[in-house]
Amino acid sequence: MIFILLDLAGMSYWTATFLGNSTGAAVSFFLNRTFTFRSGISIQSSAVRFVLILFLCYILSYSISGMAAESIKGFTLFGHEASPEELAVLLGAGIYTAINYMGQKYLVFTK
């Protein structure tokens, strides 16, 4: 979704990553609560922590990846030369996924 918003809709890096991650977050909350962590914690209690963790992960991961991507020039992926924004999205998604999982496991859906 982020690449569609970035490349096809022409949105900025921050807008595309924010909207893409927000959509994924809504689905993620219910899937992780129900299936991944099988949490019985109330929705109200876990939702506040969930949103806080998502926001921190988003800012941290996409800021780091944005800075890192600017220093990498001429990156080619599957025959396509990736722009700094596209590279930052790929790097950011990896960082975001790892730290978000840890935050949800240890801070949001704890038993």
Side-chain angles (χ1 to χ4, degrees):
M1 180 171 186
I2 295 171
F3 283 112
I4 290 169
L5 296 172
L6 183 67
D7 292 332
L8 297 179
M11 291 185 179
S12 73
Y13 171 74
W14 286 108
T15 302
T17 57
F18 180 78
L19 291 175
N21 280 311
S22 295
T23 302
V27 173
S28 171
F29 177 79
F30 292 104
L31 292 177
N32 283 333
R33 184 178 186 277
T34 305
F35 299 108
T36 306
F37 301 112
R38 301 188 193 281
S39 178
I41 295 173
S42 73
I43 290 176
Q44 295 82 7
S45 172
S46 56
V48 171
R49 288 183 284 174
F50 182 83
V51 170
L52 181 61
I53 293 296
L54 285 180
F55 180 72
L56 293 172
C57 291
Y58 171 74
I59 295 297
L60 181 64
S61 63
Y62 287 99
S63 293
I64 291 170
S65 65
M67 289 184 286
E70 286 297 323
S71 66
I72 300 171
K73 304 292 183 209
F75 183 79
T76 303
L77 182 66
F78 302 116
H80 170 75
E81 186 166 340
S83 70
E85 290 84 11
E86 292 170 327
L87 182 56
V89 167
L90 288 174
L91 292 170
I95 296 167
Y96 177 90
T97 300
I99 61 177
N100 184 42
Y101 176 84
M102 300 301 272
Q104 287 187 36
K105 181 175 182 172
Y106 295 110
L107 301 172
V108 177
F109 298 115
T110 60
K111 294 182 180 174

